[in-house]
Amino acid sequence: MKKTTAGTSLAGEYLMDGPRGVHTGIRLSNDHHFLFFYSQAGVERTARGSWYQQDENTIVLDTGTPPGDDFALTEERLLYGSDIRVGVQAENPVLHTHVLCRIEGGGRSQQQRGSRNGVFTFSPQSVESITLIFDYCPEKKTVFKPLHAFNQFDFHFQPWIMDVYFRHWQLQLHERLLKGSHPLLDGNQWSFKPAG
């Protein structure tokens, strides 16, 4: 459908009555930019982008595409020995314990949760893929496929790892409510109501 610039009267902050302990909402601005925010158990995540009113009953929000993977490979090499070693580095070492690493190859897989030093050590096997998942962003994962038979792989956190991204998120207008899905929660019957 054709985009319309109508709908500036919708500008304002909308909060969702979500699960216990979750604070989440959307702030729509008159210039058709938005801020999405989500907080749970001290973890805060945000998204920014543009919005437009698609038709009388629908608004669409879009952050654009992510700048890249949430973990970046810094080095890969062959070390003495046959164990597989994966290192993940963050400025705050506490974050290392919230990373899940899975290696797969040759019909076999191994999985570990990170330790404070950010090092995962796996028993020998071929490595066709390495998957990294950060606990606070379970909807995202980084999958790396080595091109060489190395056994040492080092990664670091990207600065945008906590950012939320979505394309063409549609919400339906019901009087002053915005209804639909949520980027980080299951289901499609969530309601955002005007704050205040």
Side-chain angles (χ1 to χ4, degrees), residues 27-192:
R27 187 176 300 129
L28 302 179
S29 64
N30 282 317
D31 65 0
H32 287 268
H33 288 87
F34 73 86
L35 169 67
F36 164 86
F37 51 91
Y38 174 90
S39 176
Q40 182 179 24
V43 176
E44 297 185 359
R45 302 184 62 189
T46 59
R48 298 176 185 273
S50 60
W51 70 277
Y52 64 91
Q53 187 168 353
Q54 181 171 270
D55 55 41
E56 184 179 354
N57 299 312
T58 309
I59 69 167
V60 180
L61 301 93
D62 198 315
T63 62
T65 57
D69 290 330
D70 293 316
F71 295 90
L73 180 72
T74 54
E75 186 177 15
E76 56 179 329
R77 60 188 187 276
L78 183 64
L79 293 180
Y80 177 79
S82 54
D83 285 345
I84 309 299
R85 183 184 181 278
V86 178
V88 175
Q89 293 300 312
E91 290 185 5
N92 183 351
V94 173
L95 298 181
H96 298 156
T97 63
H98 294 282
V99 177
L100 184 71
C101 179
R102 181 171 64 250
I103 64 171
E104 297 179 273
R108 184 185 178 198
S109 67
Q110 299 181 67
Q111 181 172 292
Q112 288 184 19
R113 183 161 296 283
S115 60
R116 194 174 178 86
N117 67 2
V119 176
F120 304 82
T121 302
F122 300 96
S123 58
Q125 70 165 82
S126 63
V127 180
E128 297 170 6
S129 68
I130 299 170
T131 301
L132 297 169
I133 302 174
F134 188 43
D135 284 344
Y136 297 139
C137 312
E139 83 282 4
K140 302 191 289 183
K141 64 181 179 181
T142 295
V143 179
F144 172 73
K145 296 187 177 182
L147 298 178
H148 307 285
F150 293 146
N151 61 354
Q152 167 76 34
F153 306 90
D154 291 323
F155 298 85
H156 69 261
F157 282 67
Q158 293 282 35
W160 56 77
I161 191 168
M162 294 294 289
D163 294 345
V164 181
Y165 294 92
F166 42 79
R167 301 303 311 271
H168 312 302
W169 177 27
Q170 295 189 7
L171 292 171
Q172 302 302 310
L173 298 169
H174 292 267
E175 298 181 349
R176 287 289 291 165
L177 298 179
L178 302 178
K179 293 188 174 184
S181 62
H182 189 282
L184 302 177
L185 299 172
D186 293 333
N188 58 4
Q189 297 300 320
W190 301 108
S191 295
F192 297 83

